[in-house]
Amino acid sequence: TPPNYKNDKDSLAVMYMADGGIKEDFPHIANTLAKLIKEKKIKPLILVGIENTERRRDLTGFTEIEKDKEIAAVVGGSEKFRAFINDELFPEINKRYRTTNEKSIIGESASGLFVMETFFLTPQMFDHYIAFDPSLWWNNHYLVRTAKEHLANFPSTEKRIWFAGSSAEDISETVSKTADILQVENLPNIKWKYSPEPKEKHKTIFRATKEKAIIWTLNKTE
């Protein structure tokens, strides 16, 4: 929670993140949010980190590709993970903290895949989506191949999505194709920004771009 949370009575928006354990990405995102709030670049909000138990199971959807299945003993659990967040975690956070209905989700790599999958499959879950180097190669580019189909059934409420791709070959191609599809479909209620980052590597893109991603998304700038 932000520094003044205990003294204020305001209800706050919530940002959720997978890879959100103390030994995972939670500390550096929490520090970034604290810095941006202090600098008045974003409004105060609550950050909820979800610590991994079986990361590759929870963050991946189904796959028909045998090579994909080699990355872990169990994959394809993202639907159940989303159900846990929606049915159990949201109510618990709303019960424990003063929250508004505004929710965002942030993730990188496999977590970025989960962010993008949630955006296309269950867009009503969050208002804002942020994905760094999402693993859109999963299941032979399934989300890219079905993006138009999902956008055709998209809700009319406004959604914001910021996503970035590094120089990693298997990612940059699929991420740029996703941007092309969003541009062609041009849904008025989807405010999106694609940030190509050819100078960044897969392991550097999160820290290199997180501030501009968060500022653009949460400030609702065009």
Side-chain angles (χ1 to χ4, degrees), residues 7-24:
N7 302 325
D8 291 341
K9 293 185 178 178
D10 294 343
S11 295
L12 301 176
V14 184
M15 176 179 283
Y16 291 83
M17 61 177 300
D19 291 337
I22 294 299
K23 294 181 180 178
E24 297 172 311

Side-chain angles (χ1 to χ4, degrees), residues 137-157:
W137 48 263
W138 185 257
N139 191 23
N140 189 26
H141 308 181
Y142 172 78
L143 283 178
V144 183
R145 290 187 288 111
T146 58
K148 288 186 180 182
E149 180 186 320
H150 293 303
L151 290 172
N153 299 307
F154 213 79
S156 58
T157 48

Side-chain angles (χ1 to χ4, degrees), residues 33-35 44 47 54 59-60 64 68 84 89 100 106 115 150 165 169 178 208 211:
L33 292 177
K35 174 179 177 284
L47 177 65
E54 282 193 54
L59 299 179
T60 58
E64 298 166 338
D68 289 355
F84 154 71
L89 186 58
T100 65
I106 188 169
V115 169
H150 293 303
E169 208 172 302
T178 304
E211 284 198 19

Side-chain angles (χ1 to χ4, degrees), residues 6 13 28 32 35 47 59 64 66 69 83 87 90 92 112 132 138 154 174 178 183 193 195 197 202 206 208 222:
K6 289 180 181 176
H28 81 85
T32 298
K35 174 179 177 284
L47 177 65
L59 299 179
E64 298 166 338
E66 290 305 316
K69 296 174 185 176
D87 302 343
F90 284 171
E92 190 65 28
F132 308 84
W138 185 257
F154 213 79
T174 52
T178 304
Q183 189 165 13
K193 189 173 184 66
S195 186
E197 302 289 341
H202 188 61
F206 200 174
E222 292 302 326

Side-chain angles (χ1 to χ4, degrees), residues 16 85-97:
Y16 291 83
I85 294 171
N86 190 72
D87 302 343
E88 298 180 51
L89 186 58
F90 284 171
E92 190 65 28
I93 295 300
N94 292 339
K95 188 168 73 176
R96 292 190 192 189
Y97 299 93

Side-chain angles (χ1 to χ4, degrees), residues 25-59:
D25 287 323
F26 186 86
H28 81 85
I29 291 299
N31 288 337
T32 298
L33 292 177
K35 174 179 177 284
L36 295 177
I37 291 167
K38 187 178 181 182
E39 293 171 351
K40 295 189 170 14
K41 291 181 178 176
I42 61 169
K43 292 178 181 177
L45 77 162
I46 296 165
L47 177 65
V48 177
I50 309 168
E51 188 168 7
N52 284 307
T53 53
E54 282 193 54
R55 183 177 189 268
R56 290 176 173 176
R57 174 199 65 190
D58 293 340
L59 299 179

